[in-house]
Amino acid sequence: MDQFTLNLIVVGLSFALYIGIAIWARAGSTSEFYAANRGVHPVLNGMATAADWMSAASFISMAGIIAFVGYDNSTYLMGWTGGYVLLALLLAPYLRKFGRFTVPDFIGDRFYSQTARIVAVIALLVISITYVIGQMSGAGVAFSRFLEVQSSTGLWIASAIVFCYAVLGGMKGITYTQVAQYCVLIVAYTIPAIFISLQLTGNFLPQIGLFSNDTTGVPLLAHLDGLLTDLGFRTYTEHHQSTLDMVLFTLSLMIGTAGLPHVIIRFFTVPKVSDARASAGWALVFIALLYTVAPAVGAMARLNIITSIYPNGLDQPSLAYDARPDWMHNWENTGLLAFDDKNGDGMIQYYNDANAPAIAAEAGWAGNEMVTFNRDILVLANPEIAGLPGWVIALIAAGGLAAALSTAAGLLLAISSAISHDLIKSVFNPNISEKGEMLAARVSMGVAILVATILGLNPPGFAAQVVAIAFGLAAASLFPTIMMGIFSKKMNSTGAVAGMLVGLGVEMVYIFTYVGWFFIPGTNMLGNTPDNWLFGISPASFGSVAAVLNFAVAYVVLGMTKPAPQEIQDLVESIRVPRGAGVARAH
């Protein structure tokens, strides 16, 4: 059986499973659509949360980012996992105690203000649409290779699939679909990693193989460092990034994680307050199964790429273009990998021509000839690079698509809930019927996926980079407001609204200045380089600075206005003791 047919079978079966689950668990009420009727077991919710969390950025892009940058990009791992600790300890049980369906619902009621609710909806939409751009971009990459179509075509196919099962099932269908998607993606991610670790180091566990000797008898990381420096690249295991930017980036990812609306709403689906905390714990366990493997995947893939191009060592002739392996040919067809024979010798040279090593001049190389290597393809190409069996390649395709689509579905639900429940139901038309509210939710899903798909055709970066921007937006806007809503009894609506507007506004202006207005390429006012950044702080790291501004403005305004009414202060005091879930108010 050829690879294309095998890919179609495995991916097709996984999609049939997802859509079948969505039909079986189709939401019949707003409670089921928004919160799965609050009946999800904490272990299943932890698994669904992990799938919701481990998006295209985690599955497809993170290892690629680590592979091409090395140690410095371990910040993704530290920030994203650390954020779950904050979420479990500081937010999840208290929000579940409050008994609402959505984040804007909590903010609107806690700050007794429709204005606060509307601003929270705007923040949620900005965050979620930015985030879903990265997911759809990653799904387009996966489809483009394994269905042998252009990435733009793959993006539209991904949009159609996720729309089908997200619209059908709501939170109830999405939850059980995400459980299945987690099983697919974790198996798909770890099996190739195990095979490659055995090939390179003889160790079954990639986590151990990363720190073991490879087939040359040299520690794998030392071997990789040597090859990279000989080719003019930076070392893999040393720290090169600005320490300030690294700290702020990690902090932005942490508090951004804790403020992500599509993650927070998962904790509204469990029966009890204690289950919310347990769900976060289980989610960390399930996430760790992938995150502890990702550094090994990145390092081993980078080593395999170099040794594929220089099979006999750097002092011997490199790979002939006509003799390139199938994986290179396959990915060239997608447009995400490209070569240019700059010296016309028919060989592929790969090195850092901005810091050309002596070996390049001696060998007569005329520039780096691997002119395009989209980092988002690395994990998907990894089994092919290592020469693994066809069924493993098909499995990684299904896993990558599961990761992208699971998170996209969660984001779509957060968007549709904000529009249908927090705007239409709570602000503009309180008398809307339950059937009308669900129709509005499904229509808003369609509009959201259309906008995200159009923007995803020209994303402002790799999937993980786009997602990091969304985390900064969440850190700047929702996280401080939720924290103050829980732990500051006197914080009033005026302070909360002012803080959100300043935090979100400053963060968006900073991002658009360097990335482009509304992520449109070519509209940025300054180049996105360290020399242009304010105090050397990158756009992805600025969320933590904007969060501080959010807190500061909110408390300054509070000092100039009256504190929250006494009944609101009593309400805040009641949710600080997470005993018993209480009964959710009618919506």
Side-chain angles (χ1 to χ4, degrees), residues 266-587:
R266 290 237 52 93
F267 299 102
F268 300 157
T269 66
V270 292
K272 299 180 296 183
V273 171
S274 59
D275 293 338
R277 198 184 297 274
S279 292
W282 279 109
L284 272 172
V285 171
F286 292 126
I287 290 168
L289 295 179
L290 187 147
Y291 273 25
T292 56
V293 174
V297 171
M300 292 175 184
R302 187 73 184 275
L303 182 62
N304 272 333
I305 290 170
I306 295 173
T307 54
S308 293
I309 295 174
Y310 301 99
N312 300 311
L314 302 184
D315 57 345
Q316 298 295 318
S318 58
L319 179 70
Y321 180 74
D322 290 340
R324 69 195 187 283
D326 288 342
W327 74 267
M328 291 183 180
H329 178 77
N330 293 335
W331 283 101
E332 279 185 283
N333 290 338
T334 70
L336 300 173
L337 175 67
F339 297 96
D340 179 14
D341 189 6
K342 295 180 178 179
N343 59 358
D345 65 354
M347 314 294 284
I348 298 173
Q349 282 90 41
Y350 168 60
Y351 68 101
N352 181 12
D353 49 11
N355 181 34
I359 189 175
E362 294 170 3
W365 298 345
N368 176 35
E369 295 182 346
M370 192 163 71
V371 294
T372 300
F373 189 100
N374 187 304
R375 297 175 186 180
D376 286 349
I377 75 173
L378 187 137
V379 168
L380 300 175
N382 215 13
E384 296 176 276
I385 295 171
L388 299 183
W391 66 269
V392 179
I393 297 170
L395 188 61
I396 202 84
L401 292 167
L405 300 184
S406 63
T407 302
L411 290 162
L412 287 171
L413 182 66
I415 292 169
S416 66
S417 300
I419 294 173
S420 62
H421 182 72
D422 297 309
L423 283 184
I424 297 175
K425 170 74 173 178
S426 300
V427 178
F428 298 119
N429 187 8
N431 297 319
I432 190 173
S433 66
E434 185 167 304
K435 183 178 179 180
E437 186 179 350
M438 289 186 67
L439 177 62
R442 287 172 167 143
V443 170
S444 62
M445 269 192 185
V447 174
I449 195 66
L450 179 63
V451 171
T453 303
I454 292 171
L455 291 174
L457 293 171
N458 291 291
F462 302 112
Q465 293 171 321
V466 178
V467 166
I469 292 173
F471 280 80
L473 292 166
S477 57
L478 295 183
F479 175 78
T481 308
I482 296 170
M483 285 288 291
M484 291 184 289
I486 295 171
F487 296 104
S488 178
K489 292 192 295 183
K490 294 184 178 182
M491 181 53 64
N492 60 21
S493 60
T494 310
V497 170
M500 275 193 292
L501 288 174
V502 169
L504 181 63
V506 169
E507 174 71 1
M508 289 180 66
V509 168
Y510 194 81
I511 290 171
F512 291 160
T513 297
Y514 298 102
V515 177
W517 288 90
F518 303 102
F519 306 122
I520 299 173
T523 60
N524 54 305
M525 294 180 290
L526 293 173
N528 192 12
T529 61
D531 292 340
N532 290 326
W533 297 339
L534 182 65
F535 302 117
I537 301 172
S538 69
S541 305
F542 198 76
S544 50
V545 177
V548 172
L549 293 175
N550 186 330
F551 278 116
V553 169
Y555 279 103
V556 167
V557 172
L558 174 62
M560 299 167 61
T561 54
K562 293 181 180 180
Q566 188 58 48
E567 63 268 21
I568 296 297
Q569 296 189 41
D570 293 341
L571 174 64
V572 174
E573 184 66 31
S574 72
I575 68 171
R576 287 183 178 176
V577 183
R579 292 178 299 181
V583 178
R585 296 183 185 180
H587 293 270

Side-chain angles (χ1 to χ4, degrees), residues 8-20:
L8 283 180
I9 291 172
V10 174
V11 172
L13 287 174
S14 67
F15 283 168
L17 174 63
Y18 307 151
I19 294 174

Side-chain angles (χ1 to χ4, degrees), residues 198-201 213-218:
L198 285 170
Q199 281 184 350
L200 292 179
T201 70
N213 291 349
D214 63 14
T215 52
T216 65
V218 176

